[in-house]
Amino acid sequence: METVDLAVTSRRDFNARLHALADNTNETLWRVENPGGQHALAVGLDAPVTVEIAGHAGYYCAGMNQQATVVIEGNAGVGVAENMMSGMIHVKGDASQAAGATAHGGLLVIDGNAAARCGISMKGIDIVVKGSIGPMSAFMAQSGKLVVLGDAGEALGDSIYEARLYVRGKVASLGADCVEKPMTPEHLAELGTLLDAAGLNGTVDPGTFKRYGSGRTLYNFHVDNASAY
């Protein structure tokens, strides 16, 4: 295990060491001590390594991630896993706004709650939130899946495209063109796989969730829908 103490090593030097890693590196496990809520930790990774952050992380932690697994043993600031391409990010605490924003792939697991705009403009990422999410989550979500075991705030899925939203708790309100959809065996199986990937391993019944997605009425402009845009 490589241990980096951010009370001694600068964030810039730490990130540079991670960026220098090759796909076949033997330095596959990293431990970050004293993160102190610093911003942009472990950003831009592109190697099959695991980075454990022993505390809270600031803005944009693990942004643009590819291949790597990043575990945050605390809370994460704005934009955790922003624009992630692949790999896995696990937040063991709460996440601030815009978790998983614009991300194209990979898995983001949040053990606590996520604030507003979780999954905004998501483009293929899978997100599992074990708590609740704030308003305007999955705004303009294009593809991927968002799973919420708790409640969802106002305007869920506003202007959504083809992302799939699964919520077990209450939804304060649905955004423009977001509607409830039936849960078919395909969706139950898909949800079960995501719950297992998030470490829930059969402890949560997929049948207790509702599915939401695009009503597909805003794909093309029509004057009758002008007020909804």
Side-chain angles (χ1 to χ4, degrees), residues 117-229:
R117 296 177 179 257
C118 178
I120 181 174
S121 195
M122 53 193 279
K123 297 177 174 68
I125 187 175
D126 293 330
I127 303 174
V128 179
V129 180
K130 298 178 184 178
S132 297
I133 59 174
M136 292 296 291
S137 289
F139 172 62
M140 294 189 69
Q142 296 174 35
S143 64
K145 282 88 69 179
L146 171 60
V147 179
V148 183
L149 276 69
D151 300 329
E154 295 83 359
L156 175 69
D158 190 88
S159 304
I160 191 173
Y161 289 88
E162 290 303 314
R164 294 179 175 180
L165 314 180
Y166 298 99
V167 182
R168 188 170 66 163
K170 297 178 181 179
V171 175
S173 65
L174 296 175
D177 204 34
C178 186
V179 298
E180 184 177 346
K181 295 193 167 187
M183 287 282 283
T184 69
E186 171 198 350
H187 301 114
L188 290 169
E190 175 179 76
L191 178 54
T193 299
L194 286 169
L195 292 170
D196 288 347
L200 293 166
N201 300 319
T203 60
V204 179
D205 180 8
T208 59
F209 288 75
K210 293 182 178 180
R211 181 171 75 97
Y212 303 90
S214 175
R216 300 174 180 167
T217 61
L218 300 183
Y219 275 25
N220 300 292
F221 180 80
H222 193 285
V223 67
D224 291 343
N225 298 325
S227 64
Y229 288 96

Side-chain angles (χ1 to χ4, degrees), residues 5 8 11 16-17 23 25 29 82 120 161 170-171 207:
D5 187 347
V8 177
R11 177 189 59 212
R17 289 180 65 186
D23 278 353
T25 180
L29 180 57
E82 182 265 346
I120 181 174
Y161 289 88
K170 297 178 181 179
V171 175

Side-chain angles (χ1 to χ4, degrees), residues 63-154:
M64 301 178 289
N65 186 66
Q66 295 189 83
Q67 302 191 67
T69 296
V70 179
V71 180
I72 303 166
E73 298 173 357
N75 301 325
V78 173
V80 63
E82 182 265 346
N83 206 37
M84 179 165 72
M85 297 296 175
S86 63
M88 178 179 178
I89 311 300
H90 185 183
V91 182
K92 293 192 173 182
D94 297 324
S96 187
Q97 299 185 51
T102 73
H104 290 247
L107 174 65
L108 169 61
V109 178
I110 300 169
D111 287 353
N113 301 311
R117 296 177 179 257
C118 178
I120 181 174
S121 195
M122 53 193 279
K123 297 177 174 68
I125 187 175
D126 293 330
I127 303 174
V128 179
V129 180
K130 298 178 184 178
S132 297
I133 59 174
M136 292 296 291
S137 289
F139 172 62
M140 294 189 69
Q142 296 174 35
S143 64
K145 282 88 69 179
L146 171 60
V147 179
V148 183
L149 276 69
D151 300 329
E154 295 83 359

